[in-house]
Amino acid sequence: MTPFTVIGGFLGAGKTTLLNRLLRADTGRRFAVLVNDFGALDIDSRLVVAHGGDTIALANGCLCCTIGDSLVTTILALLEQPDRFDHIVVEASGVADPGRIADLAVLDQRLARDGVIVVVDAGSVRERSADRRVGDTVTRQLAAADLLLLNKTDLADDLPPLRGWLSTQSPAPVLEARHADVAIDLLFGLPRLGGAAPADAPDAFASWSYEWAEPVERGIVLGMLRTAGVLRAKGIVRFIDSPARRSVIHQVGNRLDIVDDEPWRESETSRLVLLGLKPTLGMLGSLQRE
Amino acid sequence: MSTVVYPARRFLTMNPNRPSVTHVAVRDGRILGAGSLEELRGWGKFDLDERFADKVILPGFVEGHSHAYEGGVWKFPYVGYFDRVAPDGTRFKGLKNIDEVVARLQAHEKTLAPGASLLAWGFDPIYFGGRCMVLTDVDRISTGRPVVIVHSNFHVANANSVVLAKAGITRTTNVHGIVKDASGEPTGELQEMTAKYMAYRAAGMEIAAVLSDEQAVWRFAKVAQLAGVTTATDLHNELPESTVEGYLKASASDDFPIRLLPAFAAASVPPEQGIPRLQALMKKNNDRLRFQLVKIVTDGSIQGLSARMRWPGYYDGTPNGVWNVGPDDIDRILLSWHSAGFQVHIHTNGDEASEVAIEAVERALMAAPRWDHRHTLQHAQMADAGQFRRMKALGMCANLFANHLFYWGDIHYAKTLGPERAERMDACGTALATGVPFAIHCDAPVTPIGPLFTAWCAVNRLTASGRTLGEAERISVADALRAITLGAAYTLKLDEELGSIDVGKRADFAILDDDPLSVPPEKLKDIGVWGTVLGGKVFEAPKS
């Protein structure tokens, strides 16, 4: 299954800046990034290993594709070359509802909806949201977010009221950044379950791993997942109330999926990895140890 | 250098110096003269062709807003509420309830190869008193093969249980646009992009490909020709190579019966790529194919509840619609194409969209002053008098969607716009009074191509239920005929070459069985079209 992430946000919020970071980052993963316009990306020509019209291949394994006649066609064509990438990222247009684009993940079983990340311009979002022509477009985008990236925090006059207002628009957790400078793994997850915490993560972020030999109380796990500050989670768990099956946990910000999977194998242990803000997860860790 | 003189009952020329003549001389595909036989003798030797002696001849109709998809969909059976004529001239009777739709498709189903999918189009349940099509209806057509029925708005489809099973659509599928009944089961109605793609994929249908191949372009040209059209637009196309190739091949044939004007989808690529691409395509232009138009789509549709409306919004309280190219993005695209000298057609249905487009044109003109740009609002259905005044002041044109008055006027009156705004929609009278150059259109395949019907709509403003929607916006038959000929040609910057019967212009004619200025205005739509002449070549329409 290929994770499928949609980057939304109004024009000028910093989606392209974020994609430029993604394409330059050394994440050990090959992202296929679908954009409307290559030209807006800042691609170092020395890192281009192949340029084939609608696709640019980079030295770090990432691909850049322009969305041609149709996004659906582009995605389906890409899926025919699954060995070329690990994760698909689509840049939504500045007025699109990114939630509707994320729906496309159901089109093909090879796609797994990973999350909707909405980039927010801290300097202008309040004004935009009050605009009679685009206000409803902006608030629909915020409401569609699984994870909000509050960008350009250096341009906001007063952050606390902005944070408060944002929480009335969307229940999604908020990451804050300038110039979209954010740990890539926090937005796009770890390459695999149990992977190491991102080496380049700022001090405030961390990943925490848990293992349980015995079946776990569902409520305990849900409590951990729903703690403020948890930005992503991934796990395969044996719940007390469903001991016969693997319960696969996937959380991106506000969106939590727990799916019944194959029968539980006795050799396994329950595992859960959380990514998020260090202070909160530090507290969780100590709770668990008790 | 042979000359042919055609006598007719009369020619309505759109040339105010000689509005009505009895004879026209044609040489080299162009109009040599229009007057009396005596006057035309001065040009020398000619052949007299009397086949149109009892016909009334107008300049070939110009359809300023249609889509070549009209040709694509005719590959599939039509199941709409209103009668519709296929490219071969066959008239399909409108289907007045769901049982009739099911019956037609049951018959069609028997003609298909085993395992083949069944696709139908044009389904229009708005006059079925609220009865929706549900799974059990579609399953009566077949439970052995995939069945997908696309609605007339092209935004909604109904599928059978074979499709739902293959697509994995169940009561637990959580995707926008999958309609479910009171008990939570999917009804087979699919409303949004993703939901419809799920169905198309499950049915193995490559919709986009068949809708724009060379055969589709041919069918489009033929269905246009049947209606007396000699020039038609394909007014929004990303112009992939395969489509361009289809256009070029079709238009290379002397038998291709129309002049085709595709409009490049401006937002599909950045202007700095799109402009050189269109300029390169323009070098391939021929007599029957003209690359020159550009289109920007701002909002959605009124009946699809996706138009961008100013206050007070939708009459029934539906939230405002969606932007495709919004107020923050239109300048970048418009200014680039405007500065490169192109004429830009801007789709605006709601009045907020029209406002945004007008303001963008104003800013483009301040940034790059230009004369005779003729940037045109396409649809402009809700534009009010003030917006027409601004359009006039800025040198803009409008192409109004007169067919909407008939097909959706009742819905607009009762639900979407409410009485006042429904009565002033597609305001031909205001356009005329304000002096905004205007055309009227069909937006085929959304409604059938048929300029005489479109003119009838602008003249009578009757809805399907018979309500006169906005007496004050009615225009005269003469004005409506101008709008489907010279008026439309003006909005395409072809008025010096087409649109009237005048010396030196293309010999493009619509050959009618009766005189639109003599029949009662309410009969305008019923006038028979014998066929067309394109560049002097006669195209008789097949008879139904």
Side-chain angles (χ1 to χ4, degrees), chain A residues 10-11 36-37 68-70 72 76 95 100 103-104 106-108 110 128 132-134 136-137 140, chain B residues 175-176 192-194 197-198 201 238 240 270 273 308 320-324 327-329 352 355-356 359:
Chain A
F10 202 69
L11 297 153
N36 286 302
D37 177 8
D69 298 348
S70 123
V72 174
L76 295 178
V95 291
R100 300 296 172 94
D103 275 349
L104 290 174
V106 302
L107 273 184
D108 197 291
R110 290 168 286 184
R128 296 285 198 193
R132 73 180 165 92
R133 292 168 173 172
V134 299
D136 57 337
T137 302
R140 276 178 218 179
Chain B
V175 167
H176 284 290
E192 297 279 341
M193 174 179 70
T194 300
Y197 269 112
M198 290 172 86
R201 284 206 86 209
E238 293 173 5
Q273 290 169 30
R308 286 297 309 191
N320 210 343
V322 294
W323 292 109
N324 288 296
D328 291 66
D329 220 16
E352 185 177 78
E355 182 179 84
V356 161
E359 288 176 8

Side-chain angles (χ1 to χ4, degrees), chain B residues 287-352:
Chain B
D287 277 355
R288 286 176 292 266
L289 178 65
R290 306 294 174 85
F291 293 103
Q292 64 182 56
L293 306 178
V294 175
K295 181 156 172 210
I296 298 172
V297 177
T298 60
D299 65 344
S301 72
I302 303 171
Q303 77 277 20
L305 305 174
S306 52
R308 286 297 309 191
M309 321 256 283
R310 290 189 302 195
W311 190 88
Y314 279 100
Y315 190 47
D316 65 359
T318 299
N320 210 343
V322 294
W323 292 109
N324 288 296
V325 172
D328 291 66
D329 220 16
I330 187 170
D331 283 24
R332 174 180 63 83
I333 302 171
L334 177 65
L335 184 57
S336 301
W337 288 93
H338 167 86
S339 301
F342 284 92
Q343 183 199 15
V344 182
H345 292 261
I346 311 174
H347 160 121
T348 67
N349 263 313
D351 50 1
E352 185 177 78

Side-chain angles (χ1 to χ4, degrees), chain A residues 19 42 44 55 60 121 123 126 130 172 215 233 247-248:
Chain A
L19 292 176
D42 174 23
D44 185 340
T55 305
N60 65 358
D121 180 342
R126 291 295 297 269
S247 294
V248 176

Side-chain angles (χ1 to χ4, degrees), chain B residues 69-81:
Chain B
Y69 276 177
E70 167 76 15
V73 293
W74 278 112
K75 188 180 170 76
F76 307 103
Y78 168 72
V79 291
Y81 181 82

Side-chain angles (χ1 to χ4, degrees), chain A residues 94 101 137 221 243 246 259:
Chain A
I101 296 173
T137 302
V221 172
R246 307 168 104 202
V259 180

